Structure formats: C-alpha cells, structure tokens
Amino acid sequence: MALMEIRVYGDPVLEKKTEQIAEVDESIRKLVSDMYETMKAAPGIGLAAPQVGISKRLCLVDLSAGADPDQLKVLINPEITAEEGYQKAEEGCLSFPGVFGHVERPMNVKVRYTDLEGKKREIEGDELLARALCHEIDHLDGVVFINRLSPLKRRLVMKTIRKLKREGKWEHRPGEGSEERA
Ligand code: NI
C-alpha cells in the first residue's frame, strides 16, 4: 500500500469527466487500497480517483474518515438514480486545502454502482452520506464544489486560492484534512 499525492485545484485532472471502469481487476483493487490509505492519512470522509490523478469513475466514501473499516464504501461507476429534498451545509474538499463553503445538496439520494466483486448494487443515503455521495460523484463528472457556491462566495474563494498560490501554500499536506472534507 502506498500514499498517493492528492491533487489540488488547478490540476486539469480535477475538471475532466472520468472514464467508466470496464472490468474490476487487480489493478482496480490495488488502486482502491492505495486510495483508502491516502484518504485515511489525509484524513477525509471521501476521495475520488481524479483527486489522486486517475481519471476513472471510482470513488470512496467513509463517514468515519478511516476510523472504522466497516464504514468504507467503494463505488465503481456510480450514478445517482434518485434524489429528494434539500440541505445546505458547509463543505470542504481535500483538493481545496483550507477552503470551505456552504453548498446546496439533496437530503436523500439513491446511487447505483458496481462493487469490488463486480456486482451491481444500490445504496441510499441521507444527510451527510447524501452530501458525501453527491460531492464524490461530482468529482467523477469533473465538477468541484466551488462550482456550486454562490457567485460572490466563489469570487472570494478564488481570491484566497490566488493568495495561497502566491505564498506557495496551495498544496495538500497529509494530516491537515478534517472530517468535513472529501
Ligand atoms: Ni472533494
């Protein structure tokens, strides 16, 4: 198992739509294992393959941020099939160190996906789980959370990012994540 470098905003891989995974083979299982270590070390409650530079339709969600292995959800080729309700809460992203903003999301989602054994499954989540699923699936479509902020808040965030870049501080450092980031 190996830690992977978490890409920060500005890296084009984060804004590219990912490719479907045709077969769940050993290379995918190895990638999942490395992504899990990387997410735990961050720490974060989710990680999408583009965040480690891999443009494939694969993401992890783990609301325990690595504390409880039973909570890990590995989603291959996930698609949202239904959504209901509304929530708005502060969100962060491991690819945006130090940046947070309030994002509107559905209160409940259903997601169809393939598991690590190659079986088709469905998961339903509400509240934080719905938020994390939407955030990760957005990543797989090349959408980052600041795209969903209000125009004013987005301008402020862009200003902060430019400042951090100028200061050479625009990078992810393991251990500086939090349970609100994915
Ligand atoms: Ni993210």
Side-chain angles (χ1 to χ4, degrees):
M1 284 186 280
L3 286 189
M4 302 178 85
E5 184 200 340
I6 294 184
R7 309 297 178 90
V8 292
Y9 181 63
D11 189 318
V13 73
L14 291 172
E15 293 180 276
K16 211 172 120 181
K17 195 170 161 66
T18 54
E19 277 176 23
Q20 292 275 330
I21 292 171
E23 194 196 346
V24 184
D25 59 13
E26 201 43 50
S27 74
I28 296 296
R29 282 188 280 272
K30 165 84 168 70
L31 174 60
V32 166
S33 159
D34 289 346
M35 282 176 62
Y36 184 49
E37 289 306 304
T38 304
M39 186 192 71
K40 274 204 291 190
I45 60 167
L47 188 67
Q51 292 181 279
V52 290
I54 309 288
S55 195
K56 288 188 193 299
R57 200 161 180 89
L58 160 70
C59 63
L60 312 184
V61 171
D62 175 0
L63 298 188
S64 81
D68 174 8
D70 290 343
Q71 289 206 35
L72 173 63
K73 294 164 182 67
V74 177
L75 300 112
I76 296 164
N77 300 332
E79 300 289 346
I80 294 174
T81 54
E83 49 181 75
E84 213 181 273
Y86 164 89
Q87 58 171 320
K88 188 169 185 179
E90 187 162 76
E91 211 163 289
C93 178
L94 294 170
S95 296
F96 288 79
V99 171
F100 296 90
H102 284 78
V103 182
E104 295 177 12
R105 299 286 187 187
M107 182 53 91
N108 176 281
V109 290
K110 283 184 186 147
V111 174
R112 197 161 39 209
Y113 68 100
T114 300
D115 71 11
L116 266 179
E117 278 76 49
K119 288 201 190 79
K120 295 248 190 297
R121 290 185 178 274
E122 192 174 58
I123 183 175
E124 186 174 350
D126 50 25
E127 299 189 15
L128 183 59
L129 181 55
R131 172 172 298 280
L133 287 166
C134 290
H135 180 109
E136 295 315 320
I137 292 170
D138 264 358
H139 272 302
L140 303 179
D141 291 326
V143 175
V144 288
F145 87 106
I146 64 162
N147 296 354
R148 297 193 180 275
L149 299 177
S150 70
L152 173 64
K153 176 67 184 170
R154 196 173 164 198
R155 274 201 297 279
L156 290 171
V157 161
M158 290 306 297
K159 210 173 144 190
T160 305
I161 293 172
R162 281 195 295 274
K163 179 170 174 283
L164 290 169
K165 275 187 179 166
R166 273 199 306 276
E167 292 168 354
K169 291 179 186 159
W170 191 238
E171 59 179 1
H172 170 78
R173 286 180 294 271
E176 291 187 354
S178 73
E179 285 172 10
E180 291 85 48
R181 289 163 61 180

